[in-house]
């Protein structure tokens, strides 16, 4: 079982509400800033994109890479975080 | 079919792609659809009429195939529905194609087209291999092969410049190339893959392939720049021969590779010079150390001092006892000493100690 970061655990523990996009696992300041520039200023907007891509891992990771330049680990963390959140709350 | 329709019925993107296919200058970016329609009417319909009258198969194919060919090769010119339909054709159930998702789906379609093209390429190579002497006939004669070859050449040009934007520029020239040239281009791309492509793909997967395949293909690399037509056929033979054992090895090495529908595996390889100039010991400078090994090392480091700590502890206890004893009177000291000397029976010694200590105080 891969270990999840503290950020991941915190995010998945409760409904995301109005959390900023930087609360997502794998998304730090730099990536968060780039996402905000593109209009994804809240975590729920990224969630929206995730859902529109039908929760597909490859598509979401590609999108993340194209949008903010996330590397493989960051993509993986973000995807895992959102997927688990959806499994718990959606 | 599309060239029979009224241009006004076509979408703007379709008009754009048609104009590009007929090498017509596009109107400025902000112009209306009407401008596109007008240009389309003026140029495309004229050429279509000319094509119909002439009996030239090649042009007919180009005109007939291009609207569809453009569709297949340029996902960005597709409408949302066409994109979705094409993706479905490749087995991808796409979600809504919105502004934010379009780019991702286009990219996916490109990947699918490339892999499909590579599959066709390999088939075409196999076909060419057996009809090597009939190169000229193939390039001039057969309609079907011509269609495929044009499609292949256009697609081959894509594989030549992997993931580069020069794809669009290359679409025009290769159509008129001899059939022999694409062979060597394909070969060189096969045997000497471009570095940027390999950098994008995971290098870890290729490291094992590179070692084996680089050794095999290295002798051929020097031959290719020397000649083109002759060497290409020679290299083709050996390349194809080496392809099969590589395929099997691939399966052994990478059991989790996705099975392609055509059964052909195209694995990008690391540059050959990498194997020559960087032997194995330098290829993996950092030997991966698993966390359990790290933990064991840490624990091992700590084990030695633990004994030392225990010894130090006992030594301190003895010293403290001696000090404690010296502070007391001699009577109790003797009793204590006797008790201590009796042995390691701590339970007997301690109550006596306590009594003595209690009695003393």
């Amino acid at each position: 079982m891969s270990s999840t970061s503290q950020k991941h655990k915190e995010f998945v523990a409760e409904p995301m509400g109005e959390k900023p996009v930087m609360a997502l696992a794998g998304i730090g300041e730099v990536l968060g800033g780039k996402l905000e520039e593109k209009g994804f200023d809240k975590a729920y907007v990224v969630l929206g994109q995730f859902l529109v891509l039908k929760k597909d891992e490859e598509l979401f990771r590609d999108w993340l890479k194209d949008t903010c330049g996330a590397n493989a680990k960051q993509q993986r963390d973000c995807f895992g975080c959102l997927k688990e959140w959806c499994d718990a709350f959606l | 079919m599309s060239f029979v329709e009224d241009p006004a019925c076509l979408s703007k993107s379709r008009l754009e792609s048609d104009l590009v296919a007929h090498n017509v200058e596009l109107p400025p970016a902000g112009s209306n659809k009407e401008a596109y329609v007008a240009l389309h009417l003026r140029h495309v319909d004229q050429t279509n009429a000319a094509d119909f009258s002439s009996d030239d198969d090649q042009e007919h194919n180009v005109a007939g195939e291009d609207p569809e060919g453009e569709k297949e090769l340029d996902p960005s010119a597709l409408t949302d529905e066409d994109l979705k339909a094409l993706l479905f054709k490749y087995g991808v159930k796409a979600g809504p194609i919105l502004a934010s998702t379009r780019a991702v789906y286009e990219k996916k379609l490109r990947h699918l087209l490339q892999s499909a093209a590579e599959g066709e390429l390999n088939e075409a190579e196999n076909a060419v291999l057996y009809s090597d002497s009939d190169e000229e006939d193939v390039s001039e004669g057969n309609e079907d092969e011509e269609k495929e070859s044009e499609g292949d050449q256009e697609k081959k040009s894509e594989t030549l410049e992997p993931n580069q934007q020069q794809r669009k520029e290359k679409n025009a020239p290769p159509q008129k190339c001899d059939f022999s040239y694409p062979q060597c281009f394909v070969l060189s791309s096969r045997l000497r893959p471009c570095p940027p492509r390999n950098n994008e793909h995971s290098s870890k997967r290729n490291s094992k392939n590179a070692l084996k395949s680089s050794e095999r293909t290295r002798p051929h690399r020097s031959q290719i720049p020397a000649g083109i037509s002759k060497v290409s056929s020679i290299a083709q033979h050996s390349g194809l021969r080496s392809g099969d054992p590589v395929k099997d090895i691939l399966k052994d090495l990478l059991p989790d590779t996705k099975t392609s529908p055509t059964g052909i595996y195209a694995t990008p390889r690391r540059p050959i010079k990498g194997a020559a100039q960087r032997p194995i010991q330098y290829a993996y400078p950092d030997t991966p150390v698993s966390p359990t090994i790290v933990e064991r090392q840490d624990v091992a480091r700590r084990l030695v001092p633990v004994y030392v700590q225990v010894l130090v502890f006992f030594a301190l206890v003895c010293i403290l006892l001696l000090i404690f004893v010296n502070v007391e009177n001699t009577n109790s000291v003797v009793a204590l000493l006797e008790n201590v000397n009796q042995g390691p029976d701590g339970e007997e010694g301690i109550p006596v100690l306590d009594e003595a200590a209690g009695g003393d105080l």
Side-chain angles (χ1 to χ4, degrees):
Chain A
M1 208 170 109
S2 65
S3 61
T4 50
S5 65
Q6 185 61 31
K7 217 169 162 191
H8 175 108
K9 289 177 194 162
E10 280 176 7
F11 190 83
V12 172
E14 55 177 2
M16 65 174 78
E18 298 290 321
K19 282 187 190 168
V21 73
M22 272 162 271
L24 284 164
I27 307 291
E29 275 189 37
V30 174
L31 293 181
K34 288 187 190 170
L35 280 169
E36 279 174 13
E37 273 172 39
K38 299 272 174 87
F40 297 87
D41 55 343
K42 294 280 183 188
Y44 63 72
V45 188
V46 180
L47 172 72
Q49 183 68 22
F50 174 72
L51 296 173
V52 151
L53 290 169
K54 302 180 92 165
K55 304 192 207 170
D56 183 84
E57 176 164 9
E58 194 191 324
L59 289 173
F60 180 72
R61 284 175 71 161
D62 276 344
W63 171 82
L64 204 58
K65 182 170 136 191
D66 290 340
T67 310
C68 62
N71 65 29
K73 184 184 184 302
Q74 291 161 331
Q75 293 164 23
R76 197 169 45 238
D77 289 345
C78 188
F79 171 79
C81 174
L82 280 170
K83 183 167 184 305
E84 216 174 296
W85 189 93
C86 286
D87 290 343
F89 296 104
L90 202 55
Chain B
M1 295 302 192
S2 56
F3 49 79
V4 178
E5 282 176 8
D6 187 11
C9 296
L10 298 172
S11 69
K12 191 173 169 185
S13 56
R14 181 82 67 88
L15 290 169
E16 207 180 340
S17 66
D18 282 348
L19 290 175
V20 168
H22 288 87
N23 293 324
V24 178
E25 251 187 39
L26 292 172
S31 44
N32 282 342
K33 188 182 166 185
E34 290 168 359
Y36 284 94
V37 170
L39 276 171
H40 194 276
L41 278 168
R42 223 183 303 155
H43 295 275
V44 174
D45 289 349
Q46 280 177 9
T47 54
N48 282 342
D51 288 337
F52 274 127
S53 61
S54 75
D55 235 353
D56 197 337
D57 287 335
Q58 187 172 1
E59 283 188 21
H60 175 74
N61 288 336
V62 168
E65 287 289 327
D66 258 354
E68 291 180 5
E70 279 297 321
K71 229 200 284 185
E72 288 186 20
L73 296 173
D74 194 9
S76 55
L78 287 170
T79 63
D80 293 345
E81 286 166 12
D82 290 338
L83 182 61
K84 196 166 177 177
L86 264 178
L87 281 167
F88 187 73
K89 203 171 83 175
Y90 283 98
V92 175
K93 263 188 158 182
I97 308 230
L98 313 167
S100 55
T101 62
R102 194 180 163 101
V104 184
Y105 283 122
E106 279 177 17
K107 197 172 164 186
K108 182 142 187 137
L109 188 62
R110 284 203 184 96
H111 281 305
L112 290 166
L113 287 172
Q114 270 184 9
S115 58
E118 279 166 20
E120 279 181 33
L121 263 176
N122 290 333
E123 287 175 16
E125 277 174 24
N126 288 334
V128 166
L129 170 67
Y130 296 118
S131 64
D132 223 8
S133 56
D134 298 333
E135 280 175 12
E136 290 176 348
D137 291 342
V138 167
S139 63
E140 288 172 5
N142 254 335
E143 236 189 77
D144 293 335
E145 283 200 26
E146 193 60 42
K147 271 189 210 171
E148 252 188 27
S149 72
E150 281 189 7
D152 289 344
Q153 281 168 9
E154 288 175 353
K155 288 165 190 168
K156 273 176 203 169
S157 62
E158 283 187 19
T159 58
L160 282 178
E161 317 287 337
N163 301 332
Q164 298 292 335
Q165 289 162 3
Q166 300 171 19
R167 215 180 293 156
K168 290 172 192 167
E169 297 166 24
K170 280 267 176 179
N171 270 343
Q175 282 176 7
K176 296 176 186 166
C177 272
D178 277 343
F179 207 70
S180 62
Y181 282 97
Q183 291 172 24
C184 74
F185 282 143
V186 166
L187 280 166
S188 63
S189 71
R190 216 193 196 191
L191 297 169
R192 194 172 17 111
C194 305
R197 189 189 212 177
N198 288 317
N199 289 338
E200 288 175 13
H201 289 275
S202 62
S203 53
K204 292 173 196 169
R205 256 211 288 164
N206 298 331
S207 57
K208 290 179 190 172
N209 289 332
L211 288 171
K212 293 203 176 185
S213 58
S214 60
E215 290 164 23
R216 216 173 280 128
T217 56
R218 234 182 115 193
H220 304 300
R221 191 189 176 217
S222 55
Q223 292 176 15
I224 290 168
I228 295 175
S229 53
K230 268 193 185 176
V231 174
S232 65
S233 54
I234 297 167
Q236 250 188 348
H237 287 286
S238 50
L240 280 164
R241 258 184 263 127
S242 68
D244 288 332
V246 166
K247 214 191 340 176
D248 295 333
I249 290 167
L250 254 180
K251 276 188 180 166
D252 294 333
L253 283 177
L254 309 165
D256 58 338
T257 44
K258 296 176 193 166
T259 51
S260 68
T262 52
I264 294 163
Y265 301 86
T267 319
R269 300 173 192 168
R270 285 174 78 192
I272 295 161
K273 63 179 182 181
Q277 292 178 8
R278 284 183 283 129
I280 297 171
Q281 66 224 57
Y282 299 119
Y284 307 102
D286 296 320
T287 53
V289 180
S290 70
T292 50
I293 295 171
V294 169
E295 280 174 27
R296 269 188 224 149
Q297 287 173 357
D298 287 339
V299 169
R301 268 182 245 132
R302 261 186 265 122
L303 272 172
V304 171
V306 166
Y307 286 123
V308 173
Q309 288 173 13
V310 166
L311 286 168
V312 166
F313 170 72
F314 278 123
L316 279 170
V317 164
C318 293
I319 291 167
L320 282 169
L321 271 173
L322 286 168
I323 293 167
F324 181 71
V325 154
N326 287 334
V327 170
E328 303 298 321
N329 287 335
T330 47
N331 288 335
S332 55
V333 165
V334 169
L336 277 169
L337 278 173
E338 281 177 5
N339 286 325
V340 168
N341 285 335
Q342 265 174 13
D345 294 337
E347 291 184 4
E348 287 188 17
I350 288 170
V352 176
L353 252 168
D354 285 338
E355 281 179 13
D360 196 33
L361 294 168

